[in-house]
């Protein structure tokens, strides 16, 4: 039953091709669609019955007739060819070269859908990754094998932040740095070039695999692109023992493509027209990050989600937040005040931080300092709110200290240069300089010993 | 033998006449396991527990002759199973890092021999009732596994095996039923997961489940045999609350169902529980725990099954006379699995795409909680605690609102509290417990008669403070009277000194009922003493600047559960501080002027 070719699809619309009287086609199989101009498009079987077959065409169903279109069933699942040569290469969503170099030849091919990792095979991620960014390292530390998204909004510098993380991310006690898998879905040419130049100038390009689907490329290809990218990441991490950092930008474009196909298929919509299986679908991607027992490599995943209308309750960031291990939220407010990176501290969180910092990985006081900064900043924001109503002059002395703290915390701790790299000890010392703006008895989250060691009231500071 | 007609994601239409709805089938060349969820003419609609990629129309389908059921017997404890009770460690040995498809594995180890001690009260020829105890196996140091006659079998005992070592497949008893049919009973039996296990009658739940979490035990108690929900948006700390309950609660068995959640959270349990000790028995926590895992990347249909697998395991231990807690994280993912299947079947959605039967399925599931007298005559309970993950944190969505109607204890988690790192972020205005009266009886008999009264004062203070905080946000703290400012301070003291509890702090992670009460009493004493001084004309600023207040917030972490004497000694310190202040203002011609 190899390579059967059929003509006369019964319908073509919304990226879907409906075929009749094609018996015995397996679900998930790869197809090639030859259009009237001789161009080959890639597709996949997403529903199959005795009478009909439904095909999702990654290049879309524009400029397609039914009479001259031939569909070839390849009798194999969607696979990606893998070899160490993928490093330094640029591919499109279905794994074909985009860099004018020949396709990869390799006997090793893997199904892009992967298979679920057995929870009993996972190792708990707990090694601190230093990004050199105080707001992340100090407050929401990233650990190796974590999935930590950046929740952003249109026009905010999420891609610049992601690029800075790629440049600076370091694994303490590891000789080699990260290999990078970069999955771009619907990003602009400008952003894609920014990343490319950034990788080049920082010298990591030879350790980057790029999967590119730009804003003017077919939208449906975005459905398979992250799967191909994660298949490459799994190969690098678990076959070649590398630590892999995967940047996926922008998940919102991915989810929109999913909605487009779901609507065309007639799936029952749940919230905002997104299909009910958006959660499971996103989880299939995000859960491919992690560490595995007895393997040296790891996959650390940083998806970028631009929140439509800055709404964190929108289904895409909302469902993402339920799957990922925390989130870094960017704030338009801080950005407008000229603060880069504009990390909104209160809603940001790293769930795996508790086991990845402290004496063994960073410094003994780290978890308590982070907790204290959060609590003090929350209090300071309340005071700032109050000051905007009754005026700062009306505040008591203690409250004024909090106002000063908030200001300094945002300007000196959260804000930093795009090329500024702070090591974790500097970040913690900087944190204590902010906390020292507050009186000792306002700091209940740190221990007495921490206070004795690190708290330097203003009058004692040089 | 039938054949596949259509494949639509996890839903497969097959031609298979005479198959029963609910029956299990094996689908395709890979023999994927599925379950018949409907019949239409000669066709059956099958939901498949595994990814259906690669299945093709025309592939064979065979019925298995029984509904989805679980194996119940020694060897469950300390294990981690997938959503249809396949042991994940065994799958790991068979297929490595990733779960391969079509693996058929026994849930319980068939090779291991268990030391069986027959029930001395049973003699050959005696009548055996369904569900009675044939004997025991010491499964772990603290858990005695009672070998039960299956609830659907009874008759005359023909033979009971002598004490000795038996594997699961060796018969330990022969029973002849009324029809003259002989049943060979083994150390394990099977039970269909969608059928609640029968019992003699329900009993009133009377004792609280002590979780060691102050905001839960003291403010919104849950009873053994009760039902509770923990709703909260992402990042509110649902998982930590559920892990804390699984760690510290005074249940004898904990069944934790990871339903559509993160893989690493289960790894956290797998890695940390064996090292933690049960505060009630001093044994490793893993010895009393069973895990059922369908993580979010595992097939969605098995997610629907996983909560039923979990609750059936819980009922089985209940029938042996144990208090069992089952934690389901998260019931929203289970509801979404229902929604996905119903959507693929083209059923008419009602709210947000959910099928019309969502409410009744949820209610029927939670009804499997309860304290019962089992068929064996033993008293046991199943406490159900379900996490709910409302989209966008909106508690009016269907799963949260239906659940809220069903449960008696509602621990609502708040994003605002979590953002301020107030953990556990249980919101005292949204949460409720219908069990306070019953719990009060237990507290007054076992801890102190004043519990209910003090709890009421503390909650009242918290509610009053909400109102005052609104005023402060509008016009500033100067608008409040001294008594109101003191009330605000009192509520902050309760929030920081009692409600906030760090899961990571060694001393504070588990708080005994006695310590919970002592803290409540101490902090309310401070508040009451301050009120008296205010009445004497002491300026509220003097009270607010008492160094005692900062120290009182640390009481919880300064004194462990076995150090109550020193905790209570703080009462003296409080008395001294307030007496000194009182003396200052009651002296004739004192600073009061």
């Amino acid at each position: 039953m190899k390579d059967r070719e059929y003509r006369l699809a019964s319908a073509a619309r919304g990226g879907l091709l409906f075929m009749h009287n094609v018996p015995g086609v397996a679900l998930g199989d790869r197809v090639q669609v030859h259009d009237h101009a001789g161009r080959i498009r890639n597709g996949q079987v997403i529903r199959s019955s005795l009478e009909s077959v439904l095909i999702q065409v990654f290049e879309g169903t524009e400029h397609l007739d039914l009479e001259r279109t031939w569909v070839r069933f390849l009798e194999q699942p969607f696979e990606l060819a893998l070899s160490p040569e993928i490093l330094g290469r640029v591919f499109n969503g279905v794994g074909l070269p985009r860099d004018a170099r020949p396709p990869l030849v390799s006997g090793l091919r893997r199904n892009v859908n992967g298979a679920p990792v057995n929870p009993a095979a996972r190792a708990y991620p707990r090694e601190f990754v230093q990004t050199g960014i105080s707001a992340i390292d100090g407050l929401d530390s990233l650990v190796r094998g974590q999935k930590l998204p950046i929740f952003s909004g249109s026009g905010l510098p999420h891609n610049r932040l992601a690029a800075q993380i790629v440049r600076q991310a370091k694994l303490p006690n590891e000789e080699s740095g990260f290999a990078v898998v970069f999955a771009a879905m619907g990003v602009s040419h400008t952003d894609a070039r920014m990343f490319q130049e950034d990788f080049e100038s920082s010298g990591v390009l030879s350790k980057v695999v790029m999967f590119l689907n730009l804003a003017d490329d077919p939208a449906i290809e975005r459905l398979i692109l992250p799967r191909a990218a994660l298949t490459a990441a799994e190969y690098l991490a678990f076959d070649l023992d590398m630590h892999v950092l995967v940047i996926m930008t922008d998940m919102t474009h991915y989810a929109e493509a999913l909605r487009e196909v779901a609507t065309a298929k007639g799936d029952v919509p749940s919230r905002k027209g997104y299909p009910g299986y958006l959660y499971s679908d996103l989880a299939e991607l995000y859960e491919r990050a992690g560490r595995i027992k007895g393997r040296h490599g790891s996959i650390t995943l940083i998806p970028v989600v631009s929140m439509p209308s800055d709404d964190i309750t929108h289904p895409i960031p909302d469902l993402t937040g339920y799957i990922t291990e925390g989130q870094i939220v960017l704030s338009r407010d801080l950005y407008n005040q000229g603060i880069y990176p504009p990390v909104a501290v209160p809603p940001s969180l790293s769930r795996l931080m508790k086991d990845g910092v402290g004496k063994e990985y960073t410094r003994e006081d780290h978890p308590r300092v982070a907790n204290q900064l959060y609590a003090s900043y929350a209090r300071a924001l309340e005071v700032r709110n109050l000051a905007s109503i009754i005026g700062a002059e009306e505040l008591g002395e203690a409250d004024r200290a909090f106002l000063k703290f908030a200001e300094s915390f945002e300007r000196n701790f959260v804000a930093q240069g795009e090329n500024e790299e702070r090591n974790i000890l500097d970040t913690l010392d900087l944190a204590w300089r902010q906390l020292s703006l507050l009186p000792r008895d306002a700091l209940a989250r740190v221990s007495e010993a921490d206070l004795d060691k690190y708290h330097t009231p203003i009058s004692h500071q040089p | 033998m039938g054949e596949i007609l259509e494949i639509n994601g996890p839903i497969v239409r097959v031609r298979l006449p005479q198959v029963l709805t609910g029956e299990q089938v094996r689908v395709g060349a890979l023999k994927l396991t599925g379950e018949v969820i409907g019949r239409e003419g000669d066709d059956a609609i099958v939901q498949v527990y595994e990814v259906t990629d690669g299945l093709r129309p025309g592939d064979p389908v065979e019925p298995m002759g029984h509904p989805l059921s679980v194996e119940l017997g020694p060897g469950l404890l300390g294990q981690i199973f997938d959503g249809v009770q396949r042991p994940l460690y065994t799958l790991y040995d068979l297929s490595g890092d990733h779960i391969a498809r079509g693996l058929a594995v026994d849930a319980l180890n068939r090779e291991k021999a268990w030391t069986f001690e027959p029930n001395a009260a049973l003699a050959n020829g005696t009548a055996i009732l369904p569900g009675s105890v044939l004997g025991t196996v010491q499964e772990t140091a603290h858990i005695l596994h009672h070998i039960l006659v299956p609830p659907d079998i009874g008759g005359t005992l023909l033979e009971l095996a002598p004490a000795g070592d038996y594997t699961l497949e060796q018969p330990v008893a022969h029973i002849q039923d009324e029809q003259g049919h002989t049943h060979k009973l083994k150390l394990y039996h099977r039970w269909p997961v969608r059928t609640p296990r029968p019992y003699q009658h329900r009993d009133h739940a009377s004792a609280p489940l002590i979780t060691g979490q102050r905001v839960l035990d003291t403010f919104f108690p849950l009873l053994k045999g009760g039902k509770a929900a923990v709703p909260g948006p992402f990042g509110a700390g649902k998982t930590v609350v559920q892990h804390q309950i699984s760690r510290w609660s005074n249940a004898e068995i904990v069944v934790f169902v990871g339903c559509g959640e993160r893989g690493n959270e289960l790894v956290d349990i797998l890695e940390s529980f064996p090292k933690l000790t049960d505060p009630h028995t001093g044994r490793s926590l893993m010895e009393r725990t069973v895990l059922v895992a369908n993580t979010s990347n595992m097939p969605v249909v098995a997610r629907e099954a996983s909560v039923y697998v979990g609750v059936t395991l819980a009922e089985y231990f209940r029938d042996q006379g144990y208090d069992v807690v089952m934690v389901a994280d998260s019931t929203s993912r289970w509801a979404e699995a229902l929604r996905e299947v119903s959507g693929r079947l083209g059923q008419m959605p009602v709210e947000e795409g959910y099928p019309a039967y969502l409410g009744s399925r949820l209610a029927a599931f939670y009804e499997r909680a309860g304290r019962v007298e089992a068929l064996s005559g033993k008293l046991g309970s199943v406490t159900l605690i379900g996490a709910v993950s409302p989209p966008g944190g909106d508690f009016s969505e269907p799963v949260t609102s239906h659940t809220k109607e069903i449960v008696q204890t509602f621990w609502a988690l708040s994003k605002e509290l979590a953002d301020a790192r107030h953990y556990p972020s249980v919101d005292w205005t949204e949460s409720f417990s219908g069990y306070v009266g019953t719990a009060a009886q237990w507290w007054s008999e076992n801890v102190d008669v004043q519990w209910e009264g003090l709890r009421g004062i503390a909650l009242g203070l918290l509610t009053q403070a909400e109102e005052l905080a609104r005023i402060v946000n509008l016009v500033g703290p100067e608008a409040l009277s001294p008594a109101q400012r003191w009330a605000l301070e009192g509520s902050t003291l309760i929030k920081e000194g009692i409600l906030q509890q760090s899961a990571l702090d060694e001393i504070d992670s588990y708080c005994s009922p006695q310590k919970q009460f002592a803290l409540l009493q101490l902090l309310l004493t401070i508040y009451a003493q301050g009120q008296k001084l205010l009445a004497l004309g002491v300026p509220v600023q003097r009270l607010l600047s008492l160094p005692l207040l900062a120290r009182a917030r640390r009481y919880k972490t300064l004194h462990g559960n076995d150090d109550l004497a020193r905790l209570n000694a703080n009462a003296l310190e409080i008395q001294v501080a307030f007496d000194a202040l009182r003396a200052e203002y009651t002296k004739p011609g004192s600073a009061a002027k």
Side-chain angles (χ1 to χ4, degrees), chain A residues 1 24-29 46-50 75 113 115-126 140 145 147 151 234 268-271 276-277 279-280 283-284 287 292-293 295 312-313 317-319 321-325 327 345-349 351-352 354-355 371 374-375 378 386 389-390 441 443-448 451, chain B residues 3-9 52-58 80 88-89 91-92 96-99 232-235 238-239 260-268 270-271 293 295-300 303 333 336 339-340 343-344 347 349 352-353 389-393 415 419-423 472-478 500 504 550 554:
Chain A
M1 290 221 300
V25 176
L27 190 74
D29 265 10
I46 56 173
R47 193 183 293 167
S48 177
S49 72
L50 282 180
E75 295 288 319
N113 284 334
V117 176
N118 187 334
R122 283 185 190 269
Y124 194 71
R126 51 174 92 242
D140 305 297
K147 35 193 184 290
F151 286 2
E234 284 172 345
V268 177
S270 57
R271 287 175 67 222
Y277 51 81
Y279 176 83
S280 313
E284 269 173 32
E287 281 283 324
I292 286 181
K293 274 186 210 163
R295 310 261 173 197
I312 198 166
T313 68
D318 187 53
L319 296 179
Y322 275 119
I323 305 162
T324 54
E325 286 136 352
Q327 64 278 337
V345 171
S348 298
L349 169 75
R351 291 165 189 271
L352 299 185
K354 61 180 170 63
D355 298 299
N371 205 337
Y374 265 109
L386 186 59
I389 298 161
I390 62 170
D441 56 357
L443 307 173
R445 308 283 181 111
V446 288
S447 70
E448 296 283 344
L451 287 166
Chain B
E3 66 165 339
I4 295 179
L5 302 176
E6 183 186 358
I7 309 123
N8 178 11
T52 51
D53 278 12
L55 287 186
R56 50 182 94 230
I80 176 167
L88 286 171
Y89 283 120
L91 293 187
Y92 179 54
D97 301 343
H98 299 271
I99 300 175
F234 68 83
K238 268 193 309 297
T239 304
E261 291 291 308
R262 305 173 183 89
N264 280 335
E265 287 173 358
L266 290 156
V267 182
D268 191 11
L270 285 176
E271 290 190 6
T295 55
S296 58
N297 56 335
M298 287 157 84
V300 74
R303 191 165 306 161
R333 306 299 164 223
E336 284 166 9
R339 175 171 72 184
E340 179 162 352
R344 300 234 185 217
Q347 290 168 344
E352 298 199 12
S389 319
K415 182 91 182 120
D419 280 355
R421 296 309 187 256
H422 173 118
Y423 289 126
V472 171
N473 278 335
L474 283 177
V475 288
E478 301 307 323
Q500 288 181 11
L504 304 176
R554 291 184 196 270

Side-chain angles (χ1 to χ4, degrees), chain A residues 318-364:
Chain A
D318 187 53
L319 296 179
T320 297
Y322 275 119
I323 305 162
T324 54
E325 286 136 352
Q327 64 278 337
I328 304 293
V329 184
L330 301 190
S331 147
R332 194 169 297 279
D333 218 33
L334 290 180
Y335 188 59
N336 289 343
Q337 292 172 42
I339 289 171
Y340 172 90
V343 175
V345 171
S348 298
L349 169 75
S350 165
R351 291 165 189 271
L352 299 185
M353 177 176 182
K354 61 180 170 63
D355 298 299
V357 302
K359 199 154 88 189
E360 208 177 323
Y361 299 101
T362 56
R363 199 169 78 184
E364 202 262 333

